[in-house]
Amino acid sequence: MSEQVHERWTGEVAAQRDRFTLLSDVTALRESGQTARVTTPFGHEATMVSRYADVRELHGDPERFRLDAVPAPPALIQAGRDTAEFRRRQAGNLLGQDPPDHTRLRKMLTGEFTVKRMKRLVPRVEEIVTEHLDAMERAGRADLVPDFALPVPSMVICELLGVPYDDRGEFTERSARQLDATTPAPERMRLADASREYMATLVARHRDAPGEDLLGMLIREHSDDVTDDELIGIGNLLLIAGHETTSNMLALGTLALLEHPDQLARVRDDPSAVDGAVEELLRWLSVVHGGFPRAATRDTTIGGHPIAAGELVVGSLVAANRDPEVVDDGETLDIGRAPVPHLAFGHGIHHCLGAPLARIEMRVAFPALLARFPALRLDGEPEFRGRALIYGLTRLPLTWCAPRR
């Protein structure tokens, strides 16, 4: 991908002021070792760190930097909702909790997301991928976002979680608008309320008749240890994270490979190159550009910078994943490079629970797509999301037919 286009769409860091919107600006901060005061999409004022070591330290020390000590977003307070309501909304949301609640809930889920357990899903993921590739082939061209990148992970997470797939249109549209940083705060709250109400109906249904899916398992095996609010929070987190992140990786990753045809050919033709390609795309794209803010529990330092007790700190994952202290020539996509430790799935106790599933979906989808359509190419201009918490594409028109003469 050209550096001009690349900077435009990888530069939208989630937590920043306008003067830090370009990746080049955040890179300059990282190279100088400086911090910056930013405003997060939730309206919090925070200090941003961008070096790999600093972001890793921030995410890896829940004693000094806690998620559950972050105050309610200003927009929530302005809407007349208090801190107690904010805490209730955070129940079950592992990305907003710390020990002991985080430990208790994550322990219930960890066994369902082990690499071994996820590998059992490979045949089903392959079936889902094939079904959508068949439909694309019949059509002769496709918009990869609605035709493949979005429905594949959506169907997988729906089946795993116990969510009716027929509801996908409703919840995918709702989550996309919630994650759009330009959506007005009152509208985001309305959408969040609608998401909670939807998941509450599913939780009630599973309480009455627990199935063999994840929600059913939690109720059957942990009924006395998990509240309905926690089940709602867990369900919403897994549903949104389970399709939003992977779908955007599939679309952006395909576009990136199309712009690097030599690397695309390796992913298509060499099975041994696929795992490394997935990890490099995760690092290079970093679709979740900024981590959630954390509150310092005491006066401390990070990267040599003083942080006062109560101060909020946020990390730039995209800048950290290109830090020259960790990766040589990190601005370049190179699927053949030696393994690089990246922070695309976070770090520490909040490392993405669904990472094994996301990796499996990408390892199946990318080579299958490229092998089915060896002549795959753009059929128009891609359209990018604007300021979104999870960056990606809204449109990726593709064809594989011979050009008309």
Side-chain angles (χ1 to χ4, degrees):
M1 184 167 299
S2 71
E3 288 307 309
Q4 181 180 5
V5 172
H6 181 271
E7 182 173 80
R8 173 164 62 89
W9 59 268
T10 60
E12 283 288 342
V13 180
Q16 60 199 330
R17 294 186 189 277
D18 287 344
R19 65 179 180 274
F20 295 123
T21 55
L22 288 178
L23 177 59
S24 56
D25 293 322
V26 185
T27 299
L29 283 173
R30 184 195 65 212
E31 296 304 297
S32 68
Q34 298 301 305
T35 62
R37 291 296 291 172
V38 299
T39 302
T40 76
F42 307 101
H44 295 111
E45 295 290 316
T47 295
M48 183 176 69
V49 295
S50 52
R51 295 190 303 185
Y52 178 90
D54 297 342
V55 177
R56 194 173 187 273
E57 179 182 352
L58 174 67
H59 284 235
D61 192 343
E63 293 300 318
R64 282 193 301 148
F65 302 103
R66 293 186 68 90
L67 289 159
D68 59 10
V70 174
L76 199 67
I77 300 300
Q78 292 168 8
R81 311 207 184 176
D82 57 17
T83 300
E85 168 67 9
F86 174 61
R87 298 299 177 214
R88 187 177 76 83
R89 286 169 167 266
Q90 291 291 82
N93 178 7
L94 297 179
L95 294 180
Q97 294 184 308
D98 288 300
D101 285 336
H102 177 274
T103 306
R104 173 177 58 86
L105 294 175
R106 182 147 180 151
K107 186 176 180 180
M108 297 178 190
L109 294 165
T110 299
E112 300 299 313
F113 286 92
T114 62
V115 173
K116 182 177 180 180
R117 184 69 64 88
M118 289 296 100
K119 284 183 177 178
R120 298 178 188 174
L121 294 177
V122 169
R124 180 57 182 144
V125 173
E126 291 174 340
E127 288 178 359
I128 292 170
V129 165
T130 299
E131 289 170 7
H132 287 84
L133 292 178
D134 289 346
M136 288 170 57
E137 188 168 19
R138 288 192 295 270
R141 54 175 36 88
D143 179 345
L144 196 75
V145 176
D147 294 339
F148 186 77
L150 184 56
V152 167
S154 296
M155 182 174 286
V156 173
I157 195 61
C158 281
E159 293 184 3
L160 183 66
L161 190 57
V163 174
Y165 185 61
D166 288 345
D167 294 346
R168 68 192 182 281
E170 180 183 348
F171 69 70
T172 56
E173 179 182 359
R174 189 165 54 227
S175 65
R177 291 168 64 196
Q178 282 181 261
L179 296 171
D180 184 345
T182 65
T183 301
E187 175 66 4
R188 275 205 229 169
M189 283 186 283
R190 187 193 68 76
L191 293 166
D193 288 341
S195 294
R196 287 185 58 83
E197 291 168 7
Y198 170 72
M199 192 56 63
T201 64
L202 294 185
V203 168
R205 194 181 307 165
H206 281 77
R207 284 281 192 193
D208 291 337
E212 296 301 315
D213 45 64
L214 191 57
L215 283 175
M217 178 279 294
L218 287 171
I219 291 169
R220 287 195 317 273
E221 300 182 14
H222 305 283
S223 182
D224 295 335
D225 302 318
V226 61
T227 67
D228 281 357
D229 276 338
E230 289 173 334
L231 286 170
I232 291 168
I234 290 170
N236 270 333
L237 172 63
L238 295 179
L239 183 60
I240 293 174
H243 78 270
E244 276 283 350
T245 50
T246 307
S247 67
N248 286 297
M249 277 298 306
L250 289 175
L252 285 173
T254 299
L255 178 58
L257 290 172
L258 286 170
E259 295 286 349
H260 295 81
D262 56 331
Q263 301 190 58
L264 181 151
R266 291 182 60 192
V267 175
R268 182 190 64 216
D269 301 333
D270 181 4
S272 68
V274 174
D275 288 3
V278 167
E279 296 307 312
E280 175 68 353
L281 287 167
L282 283 164
R283 179 200 69 81
W284 193 67
L285 292 169
S286 299
V287 296
V288 180
H289 283 166
F292 287 92
R294 288 154 164 82
T297 58
R298 59 180 183 270
D299 290 346
T300 186
T301 62
I302 188 166
H305 299 282
I307 302 294
E311 185 175 344
L312 302 189
V313 187
V314 68
S316 171
L317 302 180
V318 66
N321 279 338
R322 294 160 180 246
D323 191 334
E325 292 296 319
V326 178
V327 55
D328 293 331
D329 192 20
E331 301 300 322
T332 299
L333 178 70
D334 178 6
I335 67 168
R337 74 168 75 244
V340 174
H342 62 73
L343 301 173
F345 289 119
H347 173 69
I349 64 171
H350 296 96
H351 183 271
C352 177
L353 185 68
L357 176 60
R359 285 186 165 107
I360 283 172
E361 290 171 329
M362 287 184 278
R363 288 168 183 171
V364 171
F366 282 128
L369 170 68
L370 301 177
R372 177 70 73 94
F373 306 116
L376 194 69
R377 67 183 187 278
L378 287 174
D379 191 33
E381 287 297 314
E383 294 179 3
F384 298 90
R385 282 183 164 186
R387 293 183 60 86
L389 303 185
I390 300 174
Y391 204 61
L393 291 162
T394 58
R395 179 174 181 266
L396 183 59
L398 301 175
T399 188
W400 44 90
C401 301
R404 294 180 179 176
R405 294 185 179 275

